[in-house]
Amino acid sequence: MLVLGVESSCDDTAAAVLKDGRTILSNIVSSQDQVHGPYGGVVPELASRQHIQSVLPIVDGALKNAGVTLKDIDGIAVTYGPGLVGSLLVGLSLVKGMSFRTGIPYVGVNHLEAHLLAIHLEYDVAFPYIALLASGGHTLLYSVRGVGDYLFLGGTRDDAAGEAYDKVAKMMGLGYPGGRPIDNLAKSGNPKAVRFPRAKLKKSAYEFSFSGIKTSVWHYLKAEGEERWKNHQADIAASFQEAVVDMLVNPTIKAATANAIGRIVLSGGVAANSRLRAKMKERAEAEGLQVFCPAPKFCTDNAAMIALTGNHWLERGRRDDFRLNADADLTL
Ligand code: KG4
Ligand code: ZN
Protein backbone atom coordinates (compact mmCIF):
# COMPACT_ATOMS: atom_id res chain seq x y z
CA MET A 1 0.00 0.00 0.00
CA LEU A 2 1.29 3.45 -0.94
CA VAL A 3 0.36 6.27 1.44
CA LEU A 4 0.93 9.97 0.83
CA GLY A 5 1.44 11.94 4.06
CA VAL A 6 0.92 15.70 4.36
CA GLU A 7 1.89 17.81 7.40
CA SER A 8 1.28 21.55 7.89
CA SER A 9 0.40 21.89 11.59
CA CYS A 10 2.92 24.56 12.57
CA ASP A 11 5.75 26.12 10.58
CA ASP A 12 6.98 23.22 8.43
CA THR A 13 5.31 22.17 5.19
CA ALA A 14 6.04 18.48 4.62
CA ALA A 15 5.03 15.60 2.36
CA ALA A 16 6.18 11.98 2.15
CA VAL A 17 5.34 8.75 0.36
CA LEU A 18 5.49 5.54 2.40
CA LYS A 19 5.28 2.01 1.00
CA ASP A 20 3.69 -0.79 3.06
CA GLY A 21 4.05 1.22 6.27
CA ARG A 22 7.78 0.68 6.23
CA THR A 23 9.74 1.95 3.23
CA ILE A 24 10.11 5.71 2.85
CA LEU A 25 10.07 6.46 -0.88
CA SER A 26 10.29 10.22 -0.35
CA ASN A 27 10.26 12.67 2.55
CA ILE A 28 10.42 16.43 1.99
CA VAL A 29 10.27 19.18 4.60
CA SER A 30 10.18 22.87 3.73
CA SER A 31 11.13 24.83 6.83
CA GLN A 32 9.91 28.37 7.48
CA ASP A 33 12.76 29.22 9.88
CA GLN A 34 13.89 32.10 7.64
CA VAL A 35 10.39 33.62 7.72
CA HIS A 36 9.92 33.45 11.51
CA GLY A 37 13.57 33.85 12.58
CA PRO A 38 13.47 37.67 12.74
CA TYR A 39 10.46 37.48 15.12
CA GLY A 40 12.03 34.91 17.47
CA GLY A 41 8.96 32.67 17.21
CA VAL A 42 6.25 31.48 14.84
CA VAL A 43 3.92 34.21 13.52
CA PRO A 44 0.67 32.32 12.80
CA GLU A 45 -0.56 34.40 9.86
CA LEU A 46 2.83 34.27 8.13
CA ALA A 47 2.91 30.49 8.69
CA SER A 48 -0.47 30.00 6.94
CA ARG A 49 0.55 32.22 4.04
CA GLN A 50 3.82 30.33 3.62
CA HIS A 51 2.02 26.95 3.68
CA ILE A 52 -0.37 28.06 0.94
CA GLN A 53 2.61 28.88 -1.26
CA SER A 54 4.62 25.74 -0.50
CA VAL A 55 2.12 22.95 -0.07
CA LEU A 56 1.46 22.02 -3.71
CA PRO A 57 5.09 22.13 -4.85
CA ILE A 58 6.04 20.03 -1.78
CA VAL A 59 3.34 17.39 -2.42
CA ASP A 60 4.24 17.33 -6.10
CA GLY A 61 7.94 17.01 -5.18
CA ALA A 62 7.26 14.12 -2.80
CA LEU A 63 5.34 12.22 -5.52
CA LYS A 64 8.08 12.89 -8.10
CA ASN A 65 10.91 11.91 -5.73
CA ALA A 66 9.07 8.67 -4.99
CA GLY A 67 8.75 8.03 -8.74
CA VAL A 68 4.95 7.76 -8.54
CA THR A 69 1.89 9.76 -9.56
CA LEU A 70 -1.30 10.41 -7.62
CA LYS A 71 -2.93 7.49 -9.48
CA ASP A 72 -0.57 5.07 -7.69
CA ILE A 73 -1.50 6.33 -4.22
CA ASP A 74 -3.86 4.09 -2.17
CA GLY A 75 -4.53 6.47 0.71
CA ILE A 76 -3.70 9.97 1.95
CA ALA A 77 -2.92 10.91 5.55
CA VAL A 78 -3.03 14.52 6.72
CA THR A 79 -2.51 16.18 10.10
CA TYR A 80 -5.79 17.69 11.36
CA GLY A 81 -4.60 18.76 14.85
CA PRO A 82 -3.28 19.92 17.20
CA GLY A 83 -1.49 23.00 15.88
CA LEU A 84 -2.15 26.44 14.45
CA VAL A 85 -5.61 26.42 12.92
CA GLY A 86 -4.67 28.49 9.86
CA SER A 87 -1.73 26.18 9.17
CA LEU A 88 -3.75 22.99 9.66
CA LEU A 89 -6.50 24.17 7.29
CA VAL A 90 -4.06 24.51 4.40
CA GLY A 91 -2.97 20.84 4.42
CA LEU A 92 -6.41 19.50 5.32
CA SER A 93 -8.22 21.48 2.59
CA LEU A 94 -5.71 20.40 -0.03
CA VAL A 95 -6.03 16.73 0.91
CA LYS A 96 -9.82 16.86 1.00
CA GLY A 97 -9.77 18.39 -2.50
CA MET A 98 -7.41 15.68 -3.75
CA SER A 99 -9.52 12.95 -2.21
CA PHE A 100 -12.77 14.44 -3.58
CA ARG A 101 -11.37 14.75 -7.08
CA THR A 102 -9.67 11.34 -7.28
CA GLY A 103 -11.72 9.14 -4.94
CA ILE A 104 -8.56 8.17 -3.02
CA PRO A 105 -9.54 7.64 0.66
CA TYR A 106 -8.01 9.93 3.25
CA VAL A 107 -7.64 9.97 7.04
CA GLY A 108 -6.97 12.83 9.43
CA VAL A 109 -3.98 12.15 11.69
CA ASN A 110 -3.35 13.37 15.23
CA HIS A 111 0.10 15.03 15.17
CA LEU A 112 0.89 13.84 18.73
CA GLU A 113 0.09 10.24 17.87
CA ALA A 114 2.39 10.52 14.84
CA HIS A 115 5.30 11.66 17.06
CA LEU A 116 4.67 8.72 19.44
CA LEU A 117 4.76 6.21 16.56
CA ALA A 118 7.58 7.85 14.51
CA ILE A 119 10.13 5.41 15.97
CA HIS A 120 8.58 2.62 13.83
CA LEU A 121 9.93 4.34 10.70
CA GLU A 122 13.34 2.96 11.69
CA TYR A 123 13.03 0.40 14.49
CA ASP A 124 10.80 -2.55 15.35
CA VAL A 125 10.04 -1.54 18.92
CA ALA A 126 7.66 -3.87 20.70
CA PHE A 127 4.68 -2.48 22.66
CA PRO A 128 4.39 -1.36 25.39
CA TYR A 129 6.94 1.43 25.67
CA ILE A 130 7.26 4.67 27.62
CA ALA A 131 7.31 7.60 25.18
CA LEU A 132 8.61 11.04 26.03
CA LEU A 133 7.25 13.59 23.54
CA ALA A 134 9.18 16.84 23.88
CA SER A 135 8.65 19.49 21.22
CA GLY A 136 8.10 23.22 20.80
CA GLY A 137 4.46 22.93 21.85
CA HIS A 138 4.31 19.82 24.06
CA THR A 139 6.08 17.92 26.82
CA LEU A 140 4.16 14.71 27.44
CA LEU A 141 4.79 11.28 28.86
CA TYR A 142 2.74 8.29 27.67
CA SER A 143 2.68 4.58 28.05
CA VAL A 144 2.18 3.43 24.44
CA ARG A 145 0.44 0.04 24.67
CA GLY A 146 -0.41 -0.35 20.99
CA VAL A 147 -1.67 1.65 18.02
CA GLY A 148 -4.57 3.73 19.35
CA ASP A 149 -3.90 2.68 22.97
CA TYR A 150 -2.10 5.52 24.76
CA LEU A 151 -2.09 5.95 28.53
CA PHE A 152 -1.34 9.54 29.54
CA LEU A 153 1.11 9.64 32.45
CA GLY A 154 1.94 13.32 32.75
CA GLY A 155 2.79 16.57 31.05
CA THR A 156 4.12 20.05 31.58
CA ARG A 157 2.43 22.46 33.97
CA ASP A 158 3.55 25.48 31.98
CA ASP A 159 6.03 25.82 29.10
CA ALA A 160 7.09 23.02 26.77
CA ALA A 161 10.77 22.00 26.82
CA GLY A 162 11.31 23.28 23.25
CA GLU A 163 9.71 26.60 24.18
CA ALA A 164 12.28 27.00 27.00
CA TYR A 165 15.09 26.32 24.50
CA ASP A 166 13.63 28.84 22.05
CA LYS A 167 13.11 31.57 24.69
CA VAL A 168 16.58 31.16 26.22
CA ALA A 169 18.15 31.19 22.75
CA LYS A 170 16.28 34.43 22.06
CA MET A 171 17.60 36.00 25.30
CA MET A 172 21.13 35.01 24.27
CA GLY A 173 20.72 36.19 20.66
CA LEU A 174 21.24 32.69 19.25
CA GLY A 175 18.41 32.76 16.69
CA TYR A 176 15.22 30.78 16.14
CA PRO A 177 14.53 27.91 16.58
CA GLY A 178 16.88 27.80 19.53
CA GLY A 179 17.29 24.10 20.30
CA ARG A 180 20.03 23.27 17.85
CA PRO A 181 22.22 26.39 18.49
CA ILE A 182 22.08 25.80 22.26
CA ASP A 183 22.85 22.10 21.75
CA ASN A 184 25.90 23.02 19.64
CA LEU A 185 27.13 25.81 21.91
CA ALA A 186 26.75 23.60 25.00
CA LYS A 187 29.23 21.08 23.57
CA SER A 188 32.13 23.40 24.48
CA GLY A 189 30.69 24.48 27.85
CA ASN A 190 30.83 23.19 31.42
CA PRO A 191 27.37 21.93 32.51
CA LYS A 192 28.30 22.46 36.17
CA ALA A 193 29.42 26.08 35.75
CA VAL A 194 26.04 27.55 36.81
CA ARG A 195 23.62 25.65 39.03
CA PHE A 196 20.19 26.51 37.60
CA PRO A 197 17.40 25.17 39.84
CA ARG A 198 15.42 22.09 38.78
CA ALA A 199 11.66 22.42 39.27
CA LYS A 200 10.41 20.47 42.30
CA LEU A 201 6.97 19.02 41.60
CA LYS A 202 5.11 17.21 44.33
CA LYS A 203 1.70 16.57 42.76
CA SER A 204 2.72 13.92 40.29
CA ALA A 205 5.96 12.07 39.70
CA TYR A 206 5.47 12.56 35.98
CA GLU A 207 5.01 16.32 35.81
CA PHE A 208 7.31 18.79 34.10
CA SER A 209 7.83 22.53 34.46
CA PHE A 210 10.14 24.76 32.43
CA SER A 211 9.01 28.31 33.13
CA GLY A 212 11.18 28.54 36.28
CA ILE A 213 14.42 27.71 34.50
CA LYS A 214 13.62 30.23 31.78
CA THR A 215 13.17 32.95 34.42
CA SER A 216 16.34 31.85 36.25
CA VAL A 217 18.39 32.23 33.08
CA TRP A 218 16.86 35.65 32.47
CA HIS A 219 17.79 36.84 36.01
CA TYR A 220 21.26 35.37 35.67
CA LEU A 221 21.91 37.16 32.36
CA LYS A 222 20.59 40.42 33.75
CA ALA A 223 22.73 40.22 36.90
CA GLU A 224 25.89 39.35 34.96
CA GLY A 225 25.48 41.97 32.21
CA GLU A 226 26.04 41.20 28.53
CA GLU A 227 29.77 41.91 28.51
CA ARG A 228 30.43 39.33 31.22
CA TRP A 229 28.01 36.57 30.20
CA LYS A 230 29.08 36.72 26.55
CA ASN A 231 32.54 35.58 27.69
CA HIS A 232 31.22 32.30 29.08
CA GLN A 233 28.05 31.76 27.08
CA ALA A 234 28.93 28.14 26.31
CA ASP A 235 28.93 27.42 30.08
CA ILE A 236 25.52 29.07 30.45
CA ALA A 237 24.11 27.08 27.51
CA ALA A 238 25.53 23.81 28.90
CA SER A 239 24.24 24.52 32.43
CA PHE A 240 20.76 25.45 31.17
CA GLN A 241 20.68 22.35 28.98
CA GLU A 242 21.81 20.07 31.81
CA ALA A 243 18.93 21.30 33.98
CA VAL A 244 16.36 20.79 31.18
CA VAL A 245 17.75 17.34 30.39
CA ASP A 246 17.61 16.29 34.08
CA MET A 247 13.99 17.43 34.29
CA LEU A 248 13.14 15.35 31.20
CA VAL A 249 15.17 12.26 32.11
CA ASN A 250 14.11 11.78 35.75
CA PRO A 251 10.32 11.40 35.28
CA THR A 252 10.85 9.25 32.17
CA ILE A 253 13.10 6.77 33.96
CA LYS A 254 10.71 6.78 36.91
CA ALA A 255 7.77 6.02 34.59
CA ALA A 256 9.58 3.07 33.03
CA THR A 257 10.70 1.51 36.32
CA ALA A 258 7.43 2.16 38.22
CA ASN A 259 5.37 0.59 35.40
CA ALA A 260 7.88 -2.23 34.79
CA ILE A 261 8.22 -1.27 31.11
CA GLY A 262 11.69 -1.96 29.72
CA ARG A 263 11.65 0.30 26.64
CA ILE A 264 11.83 4.09 26.39
CA VAL A 265 11.18 5.95 23.14
CA LEU A 266 12.07 9.61 22.56
CA SER A 267 10.11 11.80 20.15
CA GLY A 268 9.48 15.42 19.15
CA GLY A 269 11.99 18.10 18.16
CA VAL A 270 13.76 18.21 21.54
CA ALA A 271 14.50 14.47 21.18
CA ALA A 272 17.07 15.56 18.56
CA ASN A 273 19.11 16.99 21.46
CA SER A 274 22.47 15.25 21.76
CA ARG A 275 22.75 15.59 25.56
CA LEU A 276 19.19 14.32 26.15
CA ARG A 277 19.86 11.27 24.00
CA ALA A 278 23.17 10.53 25.74
CA LYS A 279 21.97 11.07 29.31
CA MET A 280 18.72 9.13 28.80
CA LYS A 281 20.77 6.18 27.49
CA GLU A 282 23.28 6.40 30.32
CA ARG A 283 20.60 6.48 33.03
CA ALA A 284 18.47 3.83 31.32
CA GLU A 285 21.38 1.41 30.92
CA ALA A 286 22.10 1.67 34.63
CA GLU A 287 18.49 0.55 35.24
CA GLY A 288 18.59 -2.20 32.60
CA LEU A 289 16.24 -0.31 30.25
CA GLN A 290 16.52 0.17 26.48
CA VAL A 291 16.26 3.59 24.79
CA PHE A 292 15.22 4.14 21.17
CA CYS A 293 15.81 7.53 19.51
CA PRO A 294 14.56 8.39 16.01
CA ALA A 295 17.05 10.02 13.63
CA PRO A 296 16.86 13.81 14.22
CA LYS A 297 14.91 14.32 10.94
CA PHE A 298 12.16 12.05 12.33
CA CYS A 299 12.18 13.81 15.74
CA THR A 300 11.28 17.21 14.27
CA ASP A 301 8.07 17.66 12.28
CA ASN A 302 7.90 15.52 9.15
CA ALA A 303 5.29 13.86 6.95
CA ALA A 304 6.80 10.34 7.00
CA MET A 305 5.44 9.92 10.55
CA ILE A 306 2.03 11.20 9.36
CA ALA A 307 2.01 8.67 6.50
CA LEU A 308 3.04 5.88 8.92
CA THR A 309 0.24 6.71 11.37
CA GLY A 310 -2.28 7.11 8.52
CA ASN A 311 -1.17 3.75 7.13
CA HIS A 312 -2.04 2.05 10.45
CA TRP A 313 -5.55 3.53 10.44
CA LEU A 314 -6.21 2.97 6.74
CA GLU A 315 -5.19 -0.69 7.22
CA ARG A 316 -7.74 -0.90 10.05
CA GLY A 317 -10.42 0.35 7.64
CA ARG A 318 -10.79 3.91 8.89
CA ARG A 319 -11.94 6.48 6.29
CA ASP A 320 -12.73 10.13 7.06
CA ASP A 321 -15.53 11.97 5.30
CA PHE A 322 -15.48 15.52 4.02
CA ARG A 323 -16.90 16.98 7.24
CA LEU A 324 -13.62 16.51 9.13
CA ASN A 325 -12.44 19.88 10.48
CA ALA A 326 -9.09 21.13 11.77
CA ASP A 327 -8.83 20.94 15.57
CA ALA A 328 -6.19 23.25 17.03
CA ASP A 329 -6.56 21.74 20.53
CA LEU A 330 -6.86 18.08 19.58
CA THR A 331 -5.71 15.74 22.36
CA LEU A 332 -4.87 12.06 22.33
O1 KG4 B 1 8.54 18.60 16.91
P1 KG4 B 1 8.95 19.95 16.43
O2 KG4 B 1 9.70 20.05 15.12
O3 KG4 B 1 7.73 20.91 16.29
C1 KG4 B 1 6.68 20.94 17.19
O4 KG4 B 1 5.74 20.10 17.03
O5 KG4 B 1 6.78 21.78 18.12
O6 KG4 B 1 9.83 20.63 17.61
C2 KG4 B 1 10.42 21.89 17.48
C3 KG4 B 1 11.19 22.21 18.77
C4 KG4 B 1 11.73 23.63 18.82
O7 KG4 B 1 11.41 24.22 20.05
C5 KG4 B 1 13.25 23.44 18.69
O8 KG4 B 1 14.02 24.45 19.33
C6 KG4 B 1 13.44 22.09 19.34
O9 KG4 B 1 12.32 21.33 18.91
N1 KG4 B 1 14.68 21.42 18.92
C7 KG4 B 1 15.68 21.12 19.78
C8 KG4 B 1 16.73 20.57 18.99
N2 KG4 B 1 16.33 20.55 17.69
C9 KG4 B 1 15.06 21.08 17.68
N3 KG4 B 1 15.78 21.28 21.11
C10 KG4 B 1 16.92 20.89 21.70
N4 KG4 B 1 17.98 20.38 21.01
C11 KG4 B 1 17.93 20.20 19.68
N5 KG4 B 1 18.98 19.67 19.03
ZN1 ZN C 1 5.65 18.23 16.25
Side-chain angles (χ1 to χ4, degrees):
M1 176 156 81
L2 277 187
V3 175
L4 169 68
V6 178
E7 154 69 34
S8 70
S9 65
C10 188
D11 59 340
D12 292 310
T13 322
V17 177
L18 188 71
K19 189 179 174 195
D20 299 332
R22 179 89 247 180
T23 313
I24 300 164
L25 299 186
S26 64
N27 183 39
I28 308 185
V29 182
S30 166
S31 149
Q32 301 181 4
D33 292 351
Q34 306 276 20
V35 175
H36 305 288
Y39 302 94
V42 178
V43 182
E45 181 178 335
L46 296 182
S48 318
R49 291 181 178 279
Q50 197 61 39
H51 283 305
I52 208 102
Q53 272 190 309
S54 318
V55 74
L56 267 170
I58 291 294
V59 167
D60 199 36
L63 292 170
K64 287 204 170 105
N65 285 4
V68 301
T69 67
L70 202 49
K71 284 199 194 86
D72 303 311
I73 297 293
D74 300 297
I76 311 178
V78 60
T79 308
Y80 77 105
L84 299 169
V85 75
S87 292
L88 291 163
L89 286 170
V90 175
L92 182 59
S93 305
L94 173 77
V95 167
K96 281 186 175 189
M98 287 165 78
S99 175
F100 183 74
R101 175 72 184 82
T102 59
I104 301 169
Y106 90 100
V107 285
V109 167
N110 183 320
H111 182 89
L112 303 177
E113 178 178 31
H115 273 304
L116 296 183
L117 298 179
I119 195 70
H120 301 285
L121 289 165
E122 300 167 278
Y123 301 95
D124 283 318
V125 186
F127 298 111
Y129 53 81
I130 296 294
L132 170 69
L133 198 181
S135 69
H138 298 92
T139 306
L140 300 164
L141 204 52
Y142 279 92
S143 170
V144 178
R145 301 185 289 198
V147 174
D149 188 2
Y150 313 107
L151 177 69
F152 174 76
L153 297 175
T156 182
R157 271 192 190 182
D158 39 58
D159 294 351
E163 204 177 336
Y165 267 98
D166 295 339
K167 298 248 170 81
V168 167
K170 191 174 178 183
M171 291 174 209
M172 296 178 71
L174 297 171
Y176 173 85
R180 191 141 19 121
I182 291 186
D183 193 354
N184 289 336
L185 184 60
K187 287 187 177 123
S188 55
N190 172 8
K192 292 194 175 133
V194 189
R195 176 77 197 171
F196 290 119
R198 277 73 171 151
K200 298 230 170 1
L201 302 163
K202 290 210 184 76
K203 211 177 115 214
S204 149
Y206 308 132
E207 258 191 353
F208 305 90
S209 168
F210 298 100
S211 74
I213 177 104
K214 183 185 69 186
T215 313
S216 298
V217 175
W218 188 82
H219 284 300
Y220 182 85
L221 297 177
K222 201 159 169 250
E224 283 268 286
E226 188 161 345
E227 250 174 55
R228 268 178 52 194
W229 70 251
K230 280 267 182 194
N231 285 327
H232 65 123
Q233 55 176 344
D235 288 342
I236 300 168
S239 302
F240 158 75
Q241 174 160 282
E242 202 63 17
V244 171
V245 165
D246 281 346
M247 289 189 280
L248 290 171
V249 169
N250 292 335
T252 308
I253 298 285
K254 214 180 285 175
T257 50
N259 292 284
I261 294 176
R263 289 164 297 275
I264 292 172
V265 165
L266 302 190
S267 65
V270 180
N273 186 265
S274 60
R275 184 65 187 137
L276 174 64
R277 295 161 84 100
K279 197 157 191 180
M280 191 73 83
K281 279 189 181 152
E282 195 182 294
R283 290 279 312 280
E285 263 169 33
E287 300 281 345
L289 308 165
Q290 276 182 295
V291 177
F292 298 87
C293 306
K297 66 177 174 188
F298 299 128
C299 291
T300 46
D301 288 348
N302 66 87
M305 67 180 189
I306 305 301
L308 174 114
T309 308
N311 184 85
H312 280 303
W313 289 113
L314 287 160
E315 269 181 347
R316 287 164 171 74
R318 205 181 103 199
R319 303 285 182 264
D320 280 323
D321 65 28
F322 295 120
R323 285 170 300 182
L324 184 71
N325 211 335
D327 185 347
D329 303 314
L330 185 66
T331 53
L332 252 191

